[in-house]
Amino acid sequence: MPVEETIAALVARNERAIIAAPRPVVLPDVDDEPQDEKADRSVGEADGQSFMIEYVNGRGEQSCRRITVYSIEVSVTGKVSLFALCHERHAPRRFRVDRVSACIDYDGQVHEDVAGFLALTFGMDVQTAGGEPMPVSEDMGAWGSLRHLVRPDAVILMALSQCDGRMRGAEVQIATDHCARFAERQGIFVTEPLCAMLVSFLERQRPSASMLVRACDAVRLRPERDIRALLAAAVDLMDVDGVRDPREVDLINDLSTEIVGIPII
């Protein structure tokens, strides 16, 4: 199967929000228009991170919904918004950050410090996200570098994890271990707090087609040793449940062909 078809099938599954909502979904009768303000520039690294938000729209109506964020935009009036797929509407929506009251991970963890959560998740400046300036710890300083470094690996491995319709804890652990080893070869030591951030980063991944293409392009430029390590981790992840789902085999072969020119299985 061509890689474009494999990716399209994966994205279609992700759009159905395969992870159960950690709290009841609440929707207004009508959403704000997704294109209500013209974007002036993009900020942060929005890379398909998925979670639930509590939100109040322009009419004061509350909602609670699952979203996957694909860009973070600043309008010409200076308002920061998350441009995202709403899994409840199965359609794109724009959510102003100043109207988000909480972010909830799929494991139920609630983040009421929305600005801090967005800064951590997307690499935004906390003031841009609407928060107050704060001292940056050593781990937080290293997290930006770590997240940027392992983004291609995270996208590829978590796309493979979700390919059969289910993300398993053992698969996340394999991806975490691979990313930590790769980072340490590049001089970034992954402390326990950084490891916890990395696990959350991986668990929130819902890759899009364009993200997978960019990830393959980035990995293709690496030394052979690093490419082999990623492909080996991909095979380990596929095999951890003892079953080679045909969808996993198709995706790993298509991605391997994109990166090194030949299938791996």
Side-chain angles (χ1 to χ4, degrees), residues 126-165:
V126 70
Q127 288 180 274
T128 301
E132 298 296 326
M134 63 181 67
V136 178
S137 68
E138 184 175 346
D139 283 325
M140 283 297 296
W143 169 241
S145 299
L146 175 61
R147 184 188 61 247
H148 181 75
L149 178 67
V150 303
R151 282 176 73 195
D153 307 71
V155 167
I156 290 171
L157 293 175
M158 299 321 293
L160 182 61
S161 172
Q162 296 160 38
C163 197
D164 62 357

Side-chain angles (χ1 to χ4, degrees), residues 4 15 144 161 167 186 216:
E4 293 84 2
E15 288 179 350
S161 172
M167 182 193 299
Q186 312 306 313
C216 289

Side-chain angles (χ1 to χ4, degrees), residues 146 149-150 178-190:
L146 175 61
L149 178 67
V150 303
H178 163 76
C179 290
R181 288 193 298 268
F182 175 57
E184 288 173 7
R185 290 199 300 273
Q186 312 306 313
I188 301 175
F189 180 71
V190 180

Side-chain angles (χ1 to χ4, degrees), residues 20-221:
R23 59 175 57 186
V25 171
V26 178
L27 294 173
D29 291 335
V30 179
D31 287 331
D32 289 338
E33 288 297 319
Q35 301 291 340
D36 57 346
E37 291 190 85
K38 183 178 178 181
D40 180 49
R41 58 190 172 91
S42 297
V43 295
E45 296 178 334
D47 44 14
Q49 297 282 283
S50 189
F51 45 88
M52 201 168 198
I53 58 170
E54 291 182 347
Y55 187 75
V56 179
N57 68 16
R59 295 179 296 280
E61 299 166 323
Q62 295 185 342
S63 64
C64 190
R65 63 183 80 195
R66 293 163 290 186
I67 66 170
T68 295
V69 182
Y70 290 121
S71 66
I72 306 168
E73 302 167 349
V74 180
S75 73
V76 292
T77 60
K79 299 295 184 182
V80 181
S81 297
L82 307 177
F83 190 74
L85 171 71
C86 171
H87 291 286
E88 319 311 336
R89 300 294 198 193
H90 304 287
R93 293 289 186 269
R94 178 174 279 109
F95 302 99
R96 273 182 33 182
V97 168
D98 61 348
R99 294 176 178 166
V100 178
S101 57
C103 300
I104 306 104
D105 281 324
Y106 290 129
D107 63 3
Q109 183 177 2
V110 179
H111 305 271
E112 293 184 341
D113 177 6
V114 173
F117 174 81
L118 296 179
L120 177 67
T121 304
F122 299 111
M124 300 170 63
D125 178 88
V126 70
Q127 288 180 274
T128 301
E132 298 296 326
M134 63 181 67
V136 178
S137 68
E138 184 175 346
D139 283 325
M140 283 297 296
W143 169 241
S145 299
L146 175 61
R147 184 188 61 247
H148 181 75
L149 178 67
V150 303
R151 282 176 73 195
D153 307 71
V155 167
I156 290 171
L157 293 175
M158 299 321 293
L160 182 61
S161 172
Q162 296 160 38
C163 197
D164 62 357
R166 180 182 175 189
M167 182 193 299
R168 296 168 176 83
E171 294 171 338
V172 175
Q173 187 61 57
I174 288 171
T176 302
D177 291 344
H178 163 76
C179 290
R181 288 193 298 268
F182 175 57
E184 288 173 7
R185 290 199 300 273
Q186 312 306 313
I188 301 175
F189 180 71
V190 180
T191 62
E192 188 172 334
L194 281 175
C195 187
M197 296 178 200
L198 179 57
V199 169
S200 294
F201 177 69
L202 291 166
E203 290 179 336
R204 295 185 191 118
Q205 285 285 339
R206 298 297 179 278
S208 68
S210 60
M211 287 167 56
L212 276 165
V213 171
R214 290 197 300 271
C216 289
D217 289 344
V219 170
R220 195 181 299 118
L221 300 176

